[in-house]
Amino acid sequence: MVETIEEIGRWISSQSKKEFMNQNTRDHDFLMDAGMISEFIDLIGQNLHKDMEDFKKSIDSWTRRAADFYYRYQKEVETAIQELSLLRQEIWSKLEYAFQQELFTGFNVFEMGSLLIRNNDYTIYSLSRAFENKYKDIVAHKEELLKEQESVISELSVPIIPSIIPDTILVPLAGDLSVYRLEQIRTRLLYAVASQRMTTVVVDFTGITSLQVSALGIQELALQIEQLTASLRLMGVDALLTGFSAELSLGIVQADISLNVPVFSSFKSALTYLVHVKNITIEDLTTK
């Protein structure tokens, strides 16, 4: 005869095998595997006589693993709760069988029901929280990956190339230009100039056509260039512009915009200019 709640719990744990399930439960196509089912029933049995804090510690670990398990199969929390409900019915069926077989004496149905309902309610709460935390972790991981991808894209979209001219970098632009991208270029360029202690920056527009600034507009392009060159001047850095197409040049002139910085037809001509104004010799280039 079973006399105490603790012994009843041990009896429940001893029944924690899938083959002991009743027909209604066996007919359900469980996603939860036999090991998790057995562990859950065993946990319910082992902790039946313990206080709530002890039960929480035991079941929280199981619900976290359960959330991982269901997520791998792309199932929502509702599926997990449905299967938990079936397991709860299974536990009650075991107790009903034991009661009918008169395995228990001094058995208080209301006390037993209260304990099982308490533990079941907390299990559902813990499982829901585990799913929520799982989704938060996934979202945080995806956001981190997105930031890393954006950083890579940003770096690729703003190439900064060391020049053969000492203390000079080349920034060749290509692709569509927008205010956001030009702000990225300015930010990265100013950081590179400061960290590498450059004195001259050559911004090459050879890869930019009028079509690629059509959404931005000539006026806005000129404003962004002015802000970039002004920022560089404040840092004591000279800016040179090269490679404007005929269409871009015409648009800038027609808009009556003055760039107020040296402009060259090509990067080569800009390098020739720098060699002259910096009094650079062949030895300077070969020993750089």
Side-chain angles (χ1 to χ4, degrees), residues 22 24-25 84-94:
N22 63 35
N24 289 335
T25 310
L84 278 179
S85 178
L86 288 169
L87 292 178
R88 181 189 61 186
Q89 294 174 26
E90 176 61 23
I91 292 171
W92 272 112
S93 72
K94 292 180 187 298

Side-chain angles (χ1 to χ4, degrees), residues 47 79 143 155:
N47 290 277
T79 300
E143 288 178 347
E155 291 184 6

Side-chain angles (χ1 to χ4, degrees), residues 243-258:
F244 284 111
S245 67
E247 292 175 324
L248 274 181
S249 299
L250 182 61
I252 291 172
V253 171
Q254 290 177 339
D256 194 25
I257 297 169
S258 177

Side-chain angles (χ1 to χ4, degrees), residues 53-288:
E53 291 306 313
D54 287 335
F55 176 71
K56 287 179 179 180
K57 292 177 184 177
S58 298
I59 205 65
D60 283 346
S61 175
W62 184 88
T63 56
R64 284 193 295 270
R65 285 182 283 114
D68 290 338
F69 175 84
Y70 284 102
Y71 179 79
R72 286 199 300 272
Y73 288 92
Q74 299 180 335
K75 297 297 182 181
E76 301 293 335
V77 66
E78 289 80 9
T79 300
I81 291 175
Q82 180 189 14
E83 296 197 341
L84 278 179
S85 178
L86 288 169
L87 292 178
R88 181 189 61 186
Q89 294 174 26
E90 176 61 23
I91 292 171
W92 272 112
S93 72
K94 292 180 187 298
L95 289 172
E96 182 181 10
Y97 167 79
F99 182 74
Q100 291 171 352
Q101 298 297 314
E102 298 182 349
L103 298 179
F104 304 150
T105 60
F107 177 64
N108 188 319
V109 175
F110 295 105
E111 181 183 5
M112 184 63 63
S114 175
L115 289 172
L116 289 174
I117 290 171
R118 179 201 69 175
N119 291 353
N120 181 73
D121 288 348
Y122 180 79
T123 301
I124 292 175
Y125 165 76
S126 178
L127 185 62
S128 300
R129 189 179 59 182
F131 266 86
E132 181 183 357
N133 291 336
K134 180 68 177 178
Y135 291 139
K136 285 181 179 178
D137 290 344
I138 292 166
V139 169
H141 179 64
K142 288 183 177 179
E143 288 178 347
E144 184 178 346
L145 288 177
L146 183 60
K147 287 180 181 179
E148 291 177 358
Q149 292 169 354
E150 288 176 346
S151 177
V152 171
I153 292 171
S154 175
E155 291 184 6
L156 291 175
S157 65
V158 191
I160 296 176
I161 304 172
S163 168
I164 61 170
I165 304 296
D167 305 321
T168 300
I169 54 177
L170 168 65
V171 183
L173 301 181
D176 294 341
L177 294 181
S178 64
V179 172
Y180 173 73
R181 187 175 174 217
L182 286 168
E183 288 175 349
Q184 281 187 311
I185 291 170
R186 184 167 70 247
T187 300
R188 281 207 67 225
L189 184 54
L190 294 178
Y191 176 79
V193 164
S195 62
Q196 299 176 33
R197 299 182 180 180
M198 296 291 107
T199 59
T200 308
V201 172
V202 181
V203 183
D204 185 22
F205 288 83
T206 302
I208 302 297
T209 66
S210 58
L211 181 63
Q212 289 167 319
V213 296
S214 57
L216 180 69
I218 295 294
Q219 290 280 358
E220 184 62 35
L221 174 63
L223 175 62
Q224 292 293 327
I225 292 173
E226 183 181 8
Q227 290 177 350
L228 172 61
T229 55
S231 298
L232 290 170
R233 276 198 300 272
L234 287 173
M235 298 177 67
V237 177
D238 296 324
L240 282 67
L241 307 179
T242 71
F244 284 111
S245 67
E247 292 175 324
L248 274 181
S249 299
L250 182 61
I252 291 172
V253 171
Q254 290 177 339
D256 194 25
I257 297 169
S258 177
L259 298 178
N260 297 318
V261 291
V263 181
F264 300 88
S265 60
S266 66
F267 179 58
K268 181 180 179 180
S269 58
L271 288 184
T272 302
Y273 167 80
L274 289 174
V275 167
H276 175 70
V277 298
K278 289 177 179 278
N279 294 319
I280 296 173
T281 65
I282 296 296
E283 288 76 15
D284 294 328
L285 297 179
T286 55
T287 59
K288 181 179 181 295

